């Protein structure tokens, strides 16, 4: 089920996307109140846009633009919306995205070809360890994609290691879809309950929400802690509600493959200009084939690199590398630029840490301050010094560290209405 366009030549892929871009611009000019107004204000004649390079004539779209003009981004009347999804907004309130019947078909197709990329096949059984409720698009997308692919789905949902293992031992799934740090809890439960996890049916995990690779594609500390014990393959993915598209790793683990029929990607600097090849910048996307809320040059806020060298799997699509960090989460600490993913990964090096929270604030001097709150069964001065030394060795800075009771920390990390654990608080 590998789409032919993914194995086409680089030039054929570019020509294909340029044709899709022309179709998108016509659609936006006819149906999108926001973009119709923008084309008029910018005096852009869309018929003159004939190449991907011409995209640079358009201003970028930001999360704030969508939040301030949410309704104007809808290209269909509300009675055409089948599913409502929300994502966090820059101004506090969630941003609403709607999906039509056609959009749900597109979402299913996206996930099906993404799962094929990560070696899931028709007839495989897959355990879904993420929520499908609370207007969360990802869980629904996984279910639709697996159904389209012809795979069996065990909808267990998030958390509860005992229930996860009951389902694994009963239904024998070949693959899991899970947040990777939860796999450590799965291992811990198995070890405490005499479950031989390496003798289980599980061969691979499609991992969401956390980094598995360093920038050179070597395994992160989190990935190593999992695979040092559990002999399974971990496939990294990247996606967001706004793009309704996923980038999954293939078996060569060299970045998430783009689906050229679904999305156009750019990597931009702070002046919204393309970065040089091989440099990091903000991933900016243009969606293809979306009916309800298509986006043109949407800045995702994620800092990444694109990789265009040939992949041994035979696909000629560009690949998105591991996320360096969120643009708005960049920290300047004692002259060093830091992003939360690097700090999260360092903290996972210590098995004595049960959970952690990174808080960023502004001090009296107007500069960034880092406080790391840690829960441990055996808090000690020695552990605190080891953490500080590890930070100093790996990131060249030493943040403030304090121990907090597990129950108090969990109230912050797992708030009742949140769909994801909160391990980073930006109070600046």
């Amino acid at each position: 089920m590998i789409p032919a366009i993914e194995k086409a030549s680089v030039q054929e892929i570019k020509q294909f996307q340029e044709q899709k871009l022309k179709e998108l611009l016509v659609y936006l000019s006819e149906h999108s109140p926001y973009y119709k107004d923008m084309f008029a204000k910018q005096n852009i004649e869309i018929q003159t846009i004939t190449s991907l390079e011409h995209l640079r004539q358009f201003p970028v779209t930001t999360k704030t633009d969508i939040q301030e003009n949410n309704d104007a981004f809808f290209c269909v009347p509300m009675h055409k919306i089948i599913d409502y999804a929300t994502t966090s907004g820059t101004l506090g309130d969630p941003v609403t995205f709607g999906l039509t019947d056609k959009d749900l078909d597109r979402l299913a197709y996206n996930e099906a070809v993404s799962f094929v990329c990560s070696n899931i096949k028709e007839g495989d059984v897959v355990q879904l360890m993420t929520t499908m409720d609370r207007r969360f698009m990802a869980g629904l997308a996984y279910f639709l994609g697996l159904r389209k692919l012809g795979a069996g789905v065990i909808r267990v949902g998030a958390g509860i290691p005992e229930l996860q293992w009951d389902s694994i031992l009963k239904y024998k799934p070949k693959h899991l879809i899970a947040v990777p740090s939860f796999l450590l809890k799965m291992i811990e439960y198995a070890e405490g309950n005499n479950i031989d996890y390496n003798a289980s049916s599980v061969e691979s995990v499609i991992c969401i929400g956390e980094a598995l690779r360093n920038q050179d594609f070597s395994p992160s500390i989190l990935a190593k802690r999992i695979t040092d014990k559990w002999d399974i393959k971990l496939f990294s993915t990247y996606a967001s509600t706004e793009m309704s598209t996923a980038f999954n790793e293939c078996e060569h683990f060299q970045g998430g493959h783009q689906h050229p029929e679904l999305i156009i990607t750019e990597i931009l600097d702070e002046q919204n200009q393309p970065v040089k090849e091989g440099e990091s910048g903000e991933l900016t996307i243009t969606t293809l084939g979306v009916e309800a809320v298509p986006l043109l040059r949407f800045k995702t806020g994620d800092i990444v690199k694109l990789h265009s060298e040939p992949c041994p799997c035979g696909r000629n699509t560009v690949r998105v590398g591991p996320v360096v960090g969120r643009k708005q989460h960049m920290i300047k600490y004692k002259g060093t630029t830091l992003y939360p993913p690097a700090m999260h990964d360092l903290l996972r090096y210590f098995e004595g840490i049960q959970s952690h929270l990174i808080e960023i604030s502004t001090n009296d001097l107007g500069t960034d301050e880092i406080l790391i709150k840690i829960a441990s069964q055996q808090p000690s001065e020695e552990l605190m010094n080891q953490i500080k030394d590890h930070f100093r060795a790996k990131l060249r800075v030493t943040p403030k560290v304090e121990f907090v009771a597990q129950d108090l920390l969990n109230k912050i990390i797992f708030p009742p209405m949140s769909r994801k654990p909160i391990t980073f608080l930006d109070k600046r």
Side-chain angles (χ1 to χ4, degrees):
M1 193 181 168
I2 301 176
I5 189 61
E6 297 190 10
K7 291 197 170 184
S9 70
V10 172
Q11 188 58 33
E12 287 171 329
I13 290 174
K14 184 174 187 292
Q15 290 171 350
F16 173 87
Q17 289 208 308
E18 286 171 343
Q19 178 56 38
K20 291 291 183 184
L21 175 61
K22 293 176 190 175
E23 295 169 11
L24 169 67
L25 294 176
V26 170
Y27 183 79
L28 292 176
S29 68
E30 293 175 354
H31 300 284
S32 172
Y34 180 84
Y35 287 113
K36 195 184 302 183
D37 183 56
M38 186 263 276
F39 295 161
K41 286 179 178 176
Q42 297 291 326
N43 293 317
I44 295 173
E45 299 288 338
I46 60 169
Q47 59 269 24
T48 66
I49 307 299
T50 57
S51 73
L52 297 185
E53 288 76 17
H54 290 164
L55 267 173
R56 298 167 201 169
Q57 296 180 30
F58 296 103
V60 297
T61 303
T62 66
K63 277 200 172 191
T64 302
D65 291 330
I66 301 174
Q67 189 150 25
E68 291 178 342
N69 307 276
N70 204 171
D71 292 348
F73 278 89
F74 278 74
C75 293
V76 297
M78 297 312 284
H79 70 266
K80 291 282 190 181
I81 301 299
I82 303 297
D83 183 76
Y84 290 83
T86 53
T87 185
S88 58
T90 52
L91 303 177
D93 293 329
V95 176
T96 299
F97 280 80
L99 290 90
T100 64
D101 201 48
K102 180 182 172 186
D103 289 336
L104 289 171
D105 287 342
R106 177 190 176 280
L107 192 63
Y109 168 84
N110 159 73
E111 292 298 339
V113 295
S114 297
F115 287 140
V116 167
C117 192
S118 298
N119 282 345
I120 297 180
K121 300 177 178 63
E122 181 180 359
D124 286 351
V125 177
V126 183
Q127 187 152 314
L128 183 53
M129 298 164 60
T130 65
T131 184
M132 286 179 64
D133 58 8
R134 300 188 187 179
R135 305 191 300 269
F136 192 40
M137 183 188 283
L140 175 65
Y142 302 141
F143 176 79
L144 293 175
L146 292 168
R147 178 174 180 258
K148 184 174 182 65
L149 185 56
V153 189
I154 311 164
R155 292 182 293 107
V156 180
I160 319 175
E162 181 179 5
L163 181 57
Q164 303 292 351
W165 277 116
D166 284 348
S167 293
I168 290 170
L169 298 174
K170 183 172 184 177
Y171 301 111
K172 297 180 170 45
K174 190 174 181 180
H175 314 279
L176 310 177
I177 300 176
V179 174
S181 57
F182 183 69
L183 298 176
L184 294 174
K185 289 184 168 56
M186 294 280 290
I187 292 170
E188 182 182 355
Y189 181 88
E191 290 174 343
N193 291 272
N194 299 314
I195 297 172
D196 185 355
Y197 43 87
N198 277 311
S200 75
S201 59
V202 179
E203 295 181 10
S204 78
V205 185
I206 307 298
C207 294
I208 63 170
E210 293 171 338
L212 289 178
R213 313 266 174 251
N214 300 314
Q215 290 303 307
D216 62 357
F217 297 118
S218 60
S220 67
I221 292 170
L222 173 60
K224 282 184 61 64
R225 279 190 63 191
I226 296 165
T227 57
D228 282 351
K229 289 193 169 187
W230 198 352
D231 184 21
I232 49 177
K233 291 181 179 178
L234 303 178
F235 289 92
S236 187
T237 67
Y238 172 80
S240 73
T241 298
E242 293 92 346
M243 64 176 75
S244 291
T245 311
F247 296 76
N248 277 40
E249 286 185 317
C250 69
E251 67 273 17
H252 297 284
F253 308 108
Q254 295 294 302
H257 280 276
Q258 177 188 8
H259 303 307
E261 66 275 45
L262 300 178
I263 201 163
I264 295 168
T265 52
E266 302 173 81
I267 306 293
L268 303 181
D269 62 19
E270 294 201 353
Q271 286 71 48
N272 297 329
Q273 296 301 310
V275 301
K276 294 177 182 175
E277 190 167 347
E279 289 187 355
S280 297
E282 188 169 356
L283 179 65
T284 302
I285 59 96
T286 295
T287 55
L288 300 173
V290 172
E291 188 174 43
V293 190
L295 296 175
L296 179 67
R297 302 198 83 203
F298 171 72
K299 298 192 81 175
T300 63
D302 289 323
I303 307 299
V304 302
K305 287 181 187 175
L306 279 190
H307 297 265
S308 56
E309 63 277 10
C311 183
C313 75
R315 292 175 178 84
N316 289 320
T317 48
V318 295
R319 303 180 305 283
V320 172
V323 175
V324 178
R326 298 280 299 165
K327 182 181 176 183
Q328 68 265 37
H329 291 167
M330 186 182 82
I331 304 154
K332 272 289 191 183
Y333 188 64
K334 297 178 181 178
T336 299
T337 299
L338 300 173
Y339 287 97
M343 293 190 283
H344 288 311
D345 204 42
L346 281 189
L347 291 164
R348 292 187 183 108
Y349 173 81
F350 297 93
E351 295 192 17
I353 295 177
Q354 293 173 288
S355 55
H356 72 267
L357 175 73
I358 299 170
E359 285 189 359
I360 310 299
S361 59
T362 304
N363 60 26
D364 294 340
L365 299 175
T367 58
D368 292 345
E369 200 67 64
I370 303 173
L371 171 63
I372 298 176
K373 296 182 177 181
I374 287 169
S376 174
Q377 288 183 328
Q378 296 179 312
S380 66
E381 194 72 28
E382 182 185 4
L383 176 58
M384 184 175 288
N385 288 334
Q386 287 175 349
I387 293 167
K388 290 182 176 180
D389 288 346
H390 200 56
F391 265 82
R392 194 178 296 114
K394 298 294 184 182
L395 297 180
R396 304 190 305 280
V397 293
T398 307
K400 293 179 181 177
V401 180
E402 68 177 37
F403 289 111
V404 179
Q406 177 78 67
D407 58 338
L408 295 178
L409 200 54
N410 279 348
K411 288 179 181 177
I412 304 172
I413 295 175
F414 302 105
M417 295 308 293
S418 179
R419 299 181 302 204
K420 304 173 185 175
I422 294 173
T423 55
F424 178 78
L425 278 181
D426 195 338
K427 296 183 172 180
R428 290 174 292 185

